[in-house]
Every structure is written in structure tokens, then in C-alpha cells.
């Protein structure tokens, strides 16, 4: 296992760990996982200049990465493989995608692209942030004034989809010719959603997945997604989709991803369903416990797919100091170096082999080559929605249309009227 050397333009933002070459007799996709600390700050919901406080935190972030690179050492060896590249960014919380955060995202994407990455995966809530340790002043039957103000700030840090931040991300994907899978807190009116945004290498926004089932107290701050946002996208580097954190433990949702298909029309104008099925299964998360690895391995085996789980890595010092930000659930205020989320990002093959990670040591960029032929070999033995299914006994129906709480018949008539 070797570390990739600095580029000619200077030292890499994050060192890459090369897991070695794969057999190139079939199509190969390279996967890279970036694990780094987080920035948590509050700025106006615009693409303006960073505030003084965000600039200060940005400097802290750069310093932390410099320390990480120094700790990793300066002896690097380069081993490039001609392959598609997948990059998973393991980060902590980001509030929000304004100028300084967007600049950080570009630096990381550029660094991944310099290694030849063609798909870059970020963790859950990279944009907008995951509020570790906060309760937003909620107790049964009550919300405090301070908690309401915390939510106002959190709401201001989220992004509109579509919106200027989405346009910026699309431009970055096009600029660096990568497929981008980005965790974000989405603002829709006054409701927030934990979402994943997808972009292609031509700079086009493809769509989103909204977290179908928030976990625990997340349900007090995030809305619930519906069946209209569980896409699987066909791309030249494989069929890509994402499920967020603990919703990966929902068997029926996983099955929907395995069997996700499309409609095509034959020569007689008869619609026929054809099986797409996920091949590159992205699992952004903030869950760093060791049992997560068992879940990811099971999904790879069950779905016959590659699993790319991107988790955060952050410490207490990556959040604003008290009293601006308090870890309410902690028995006492954590020390600045206390690890809040320890990473654990991992890349796993359809045979259940761990190709890269998990890493719990700190910030890192980890690579593995994905031989897409492994998918066929795995599904030869077990295809959960193909030859190993029994639809006459067990089947799943997915309601994949939007579940809007309010609809207007006049709007429907207007939209259906030919122009």
C-alpha cells in the first residue's frame, strides 16, 4: 500500500492511499475515500464573501490538513491504474455552501480529479451540516426560545434545490469532469430535508434523494422524503444511487434500489419495464460505530454491488465554541480534541471484500479499483431481484410518485392543457 506523492503544483490537500492495481480484463472504476475534519459556522444564505469568523475557521481547517499531511510523512510512491475513479469524501459537518465552503469543496474535488477520479462522493450533510450533540431546545411538549433561534440559523445554512449552490456544484462537476454525489441539507420553504444531490461529468444536475426516514431526533428538524426521490442513474461508469445513514437498514428500501428500473417502448408502442439495478451503491453517513461495517458488507453481498460509504471525521474544535454551540447530550463539555465522529468510511466489493478502509485514525484519502466484472460474477450466484427472487410469493410495490400534501385542480388542468 503506497501513498500518492504531491503534484507538481504543490503538496496534495489530503494524501491518497493507493490500494493497488486491479485486473484490467474488464471495466475498472477507481474509488477514492477522503476523510477529513469539518467546519461548522453560520453565514448569510448567499454566495457572498466569507465572514471574519468563517475565514478564521477556514484557516483552522487548512492548518489541520497541513498537520495531517505532515503526520503522514513525505515519502510517497505513485501507482496509477487506467480506470474510472470513485472518490468518497469523509467529512464532518459543513455550514453552509457559501463562498468559503464552496471553495473548500472545489479544492477537494480538484485534488481528487488530479488523481484521475471520475466519481466523487461526499458524506451526509456535508453542505448545511449535521448538528452533532444539539437538541434544538426540544423536550416533549416544549421548544425553547434558544432552540428556535438555533433552528433559524440552521435553516439559513441550508440550500435551495435548485438554487445558486446547486449551480455552483454542477459547474464544479463539469469543470473537473467528474460524477459528483453530494450530501446536503435541502431547504424547501420552511422544511428541511437531508438530501443527496447527483451531478454528471458534463456539469448537469441529475436529481436528488431525500432521506426517507430520519433517525431519532433528526425527525424533529428534517422532513421525510417520499418514493419520488429514490433514483438510480445510468452512467458510463455504472448505475449510481444513494441511501443515507440508517435508512440503509430498511430492507424494503434497499430492495427498491436493487430493483430500480425504467420504462422503454418497443416497436409496437408497448411499455416494458427493464431492470436497471444499482451497481455503485453510495451510503453517505455520520455513523461511525463498528457495527456499520457489518451493514455495509451485508449490502454489498445482498445487492451484488460495490458499496461506497462516506462518513465524517470531526473533533469538538471543528465546531463553534460554547456558548455559541453546546453539546447538550454530553455529560460535560468535550475537550477541543475530542473526536465527535470518527469516520469509518469504507469501500466494499460485491463479494464482500473490503477494498479500502475502514479508517478511524483521522483525515485520509483512500483509493481502490472496482472491477465491474465482479458484479456479474456475484449475481451469477445471487441476484436478489433476478433469478433468486420469487415474485409469485414475495413482491414489493413502491409508490414512486410525489406525496404532495396540497394539490390544486386548476394547476393540474393548466399543466395538462396543450400549448
Amino acid at each position: 500500500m503506497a501513498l500518492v506523492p504531491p503534484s507538481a503544483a504543490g503538496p496534495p490537500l489530503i494524501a491518497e492511499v493507493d490500494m493497488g492495481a486491479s485486473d484490467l480484463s474488464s471495466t475498472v472504476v477507481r474509488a477514492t475515500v477522503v476523510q477529513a475534519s469539518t467546519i461548522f459556522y453560520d453565514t448569510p444564505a448567499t454566495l457572498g464573501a466569507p465572514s471574519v469568523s468563517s475565514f478564521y475557521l477556514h484557516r483552522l481547517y487548512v492548518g489541520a490538513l497541513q498537520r495531517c499531511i505532515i503526520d503522514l510523512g513525505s515519502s510517497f510512491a505513485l501507482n496509477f491504474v487506467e480506470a474510472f475513479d470513485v472518490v468518497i469524501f469523509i467529512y464532518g459537518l459543513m455550514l453552509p455552501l457559501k463562498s468559503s465552503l464552496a471553495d473548500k469543496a472545489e479544492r477537494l474535488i480538484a485534488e481528487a480529479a488530479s488523481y484521475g477520479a471520475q466519481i466523487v462522493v461526499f458524506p451526509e450533510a456535508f453542505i448545511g451540516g449535521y448538528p452533532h450533540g444539539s437538541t434544538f431546545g426540544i423536550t416533549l411538549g416544549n421548544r425553547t426560545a434558544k432552540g428556535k433561534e438555533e433552528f433559524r440559523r440552521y435553516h439559513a445554512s441550508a440550500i435551495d434545490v435548485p438554487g445558486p449552490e446547486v449551480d455552483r456544484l454542477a459547474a464544479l462537476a463539469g469543470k473537473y469532469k467528474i460524477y459528483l454525489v453530494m450530501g446536503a441539507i435541502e431547504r424547501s420553504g420552511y422544511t428541511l430535508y437531508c438530501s443527496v444531490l447527483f451531478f454528471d461529468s458534463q456539469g448537469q444536475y441529475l436529481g436528488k434523494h431525500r432521506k426517507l426516514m430520519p433517525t431519532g431526533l433528526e425527525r424533529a428538524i428534517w422532513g421525510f422524503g417520499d418514493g419520488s426521490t429514490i433514483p438510480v442513474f445510468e452512467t458510463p461508469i455504472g448505475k449510481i444511487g444513494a441511501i443515507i445513514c440508517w435508512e440503509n437498514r430498511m430492507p424494503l428500501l434497499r430492495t427498491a434500489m436493487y430493483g430500480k428500473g425504467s420504462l422503454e417502448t418497443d416497436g409496437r408502442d408497448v411499455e416494458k419495464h427493464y431492470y436497471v439495478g444499482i451497481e455503485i451503491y453510495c451510503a453517505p453517513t455520520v455513523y461511525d460505530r463498528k457495527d456499520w461495517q457489518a451493514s455495509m458488507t451485508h449490502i454489498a453481498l445482498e445487492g451484488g454491488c460495490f458499496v461506497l460509504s462516506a462518513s465524517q471525521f470531526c473533533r469538538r474544535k471543528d465546531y463553534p465554541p460554547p456558548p455559541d454551540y453546546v453539546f447538550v447530550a454530553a455529560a460535560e463539555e468535550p475537550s477541543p480534541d475530542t473526536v465527535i465522529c470518527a469516520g469509518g468510511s469504507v469501500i466494499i466489493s460485491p463479494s464482500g471484500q473490503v477494498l479500502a478502509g475502514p479508517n478511524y485514525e483521522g483525515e485520509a484519502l483512500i483509493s481502490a479499483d472496482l472491477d465491474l466484472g465482479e458484479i456479474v460474477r456475484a449475481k451469477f450466484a445471487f441476484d436478489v431481484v433476478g433469478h433468486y427472487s420469487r415474485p409469485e410469493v414475495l413482491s414489493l410495490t413502491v409508490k414512486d410518485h410525489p406525496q404532495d400534501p396540497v394539490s390544486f385542480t386548476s394547476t393540474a388542468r393548466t399543466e395538462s392543457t396543450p400549448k
Side-chain angles (χ1 to χ4, degrees):
M1 187 170 67
L3 295 176
V4 172
S7 63
L13 184 63
I14 302 175
E16 180 183 80
V17 181
D18 192 330
M19 305 304 291
S22 296
D23 177 8
L24 297 182
S25 59
S26 59
T27 302
V28 176
V29 176
R30 195 170 194 193
T32 305
V33 176
V34 180
Q35 185 161 278
S37 63
T38 182
I39 304 172
F40 194 106
Y41 54 86
D42 190 15
T43 59
T46 61
L47 281 170
S51 64
V52 173
S53 60
S54 66
F55 176 71
Y56 172 69
L57 287 168
H58 168 71
R59 290 186 63 190
L60 288 179
Y61 165 78
V62 173
L65 286 178
Q66 289 172 340
R67 288 193 298 275
C68 173
I69 292 169
I70 292 171
D71 292 342
L72 287 170
S74 58
S75 177
F76 300 99
L78 181 61
N79 183 9
F80 280 112
V81 178
E82 184 167 351
F84 296 124
D85 295 320
V86 179
V87 178
I88 297 180
F89 283 96
I90 304 171
Y91 282 88
L93 212 43
M94 297 295 174
L95 285 185
L97 183 72
K98 309 315 172 191
S99 181
S100 56
L101 178 54
D103 291 344
K104 176 180 178 179
E106 178 166 9
R107 290 195 307 276
L108 296 168
I109 291 169
E111 192 65 39
S114 73
Y115 297 130
Q118 291 184 330
I119 178 169
V120 177
V121 183
F122 281 78
E124 177 181 11
F126 178 83
I127 299 167
Y130 190 90
H132 284 283
S134 177
T135 65
F136 290 88
I138 297 171
T139 56
L140 286 177
N142 186 54
R143 288 175 171 81
T144 66
K146 184 176 184 295
K148 292 177 181 178
E149 174 59 18
E150 288 177 1
F151 183 78
R152 184 202 64 77
R153 296 177 65 190
Y154 191 51
H155 180 273
S157 299
I159 64 172
D160 296 321
V161 181
E165 290 85 6
V166 175
D167 293 342
R168 176 79 183 273
L169 290 169
L172 292 177
K175 178 179 179 180
Y176 293 100
K177 305 301 180 186
I178 54 97
Y179 285 84
L180 178 61
V181 180
M182 175 65 73
I185 302 304
E186 176 194 355
R187 179 178 54 230
S188 179
Y190 298 100
T191 297
L192 302 181
Y193 295 93
C194 182
S195 299
V196 173
L197 311 179
F198 300 87
F199 304 86
D200 70 15
S201 60
Q202 302 303 308
Q204 298 296 314
Y205 167 64
L206 298 177
K208 67 188 175 187
H209 166 61
R210 284 177 172 173
K211 197 171 191 176
L212 198 64
M213 176 53 69
T215 299
L217 197 61
E218 293 173 357
R219 299 172 196 170
I221 59 172
W222 296 338
F224 293 62
D226 61 33
S228 68
T229 64
I230 51 173
V232 172
F233 298 101
E234 290 192 80
T235 78
I237 62 169
K239 302 174 182 71
I240 302 169
I243 300 181
I244 306 168
C245 205
W246 267 30
E247 62 177 2
N248 282 280
R249 293 181 169 181
M250 299 173 69
L252 298 184
L253 179 56
R254 296 199 307 269
T255 303
M257 298 296 284
Y258 304 149
K260 187 70 175 182
S262 300
L263 292 176
E264 65 180 1
T265 302
D266 64 14
R268 295 169 296 177
D269 293 328
V270 177
E271 284 191 340
K272 298 173 64 177
H273 180 274
Y274 70 95
Y275 167 50
V276 177
I278 192 167
E279 294 174 333
I280 299 177
Y281 183 116
C282 303
T285 187
V286 296
Y287 189 67
D288 61 356
R289 296 178 188 174
K290 300 298 175 65
D291 60 332
W292 183 250
Q293 304 305 316
S295 293
M296 297 298 97
T297 300
H298 173 77
I299 291 170
L301 289 167
E302 179 183 66
C305 54
F306 289 96
V307 173
L308 281 55
S309 180
S311 183
Q312 301 178 10
F313 186 93
C314 53
R315 301 179 186 272
R316 174 61 184 93
K317 62 188 177 183
D318 297 313
Y319 293 80
D324 292 336
Y325 194 96
V326 178
F327 283 75
V328 179
E332 58 184 27
E333 174 63 22
S335 66
D337 288 326
T338 298
V339 175
I340 302 302
C341 187
S345 296
V346 68
I347 302 173
I348 303 175
S349 79
S351 65
Q353 179 185 1
V354 175
L355 301 179
N359 184 302
Y360 296 98
E361 302 302 319
E363 299 174 334
L365 189 153
I366 305 168
S367 296
D369 295 318
L370 315 184
D371 176 4
L372 296 188
E374 283 293 318
I375 297 173
V376 180
R377 290 188 281 272
K379 288 185 181 290
F380 174 56
F382 184 80
D383 185 355
V384 68
V385 293
H387 63 78
Y388 222 90
S389 65
R390 287 291 306 277
E392 76 281 14
V393 180
L394 301 169
S395 62
L396 172 65
T397 299
V398 180
K399 299 177 181 178
D400 59 354
H401 57 279
Q403 301 290 332
D404 296 323
V406 180
S407 60
F408 296 91
T409 57
S410 59
T411 303
R413 286 198 301 269
T414 299
E415 291 177 349
S416 63
T417 301
K419 296 182 178 179

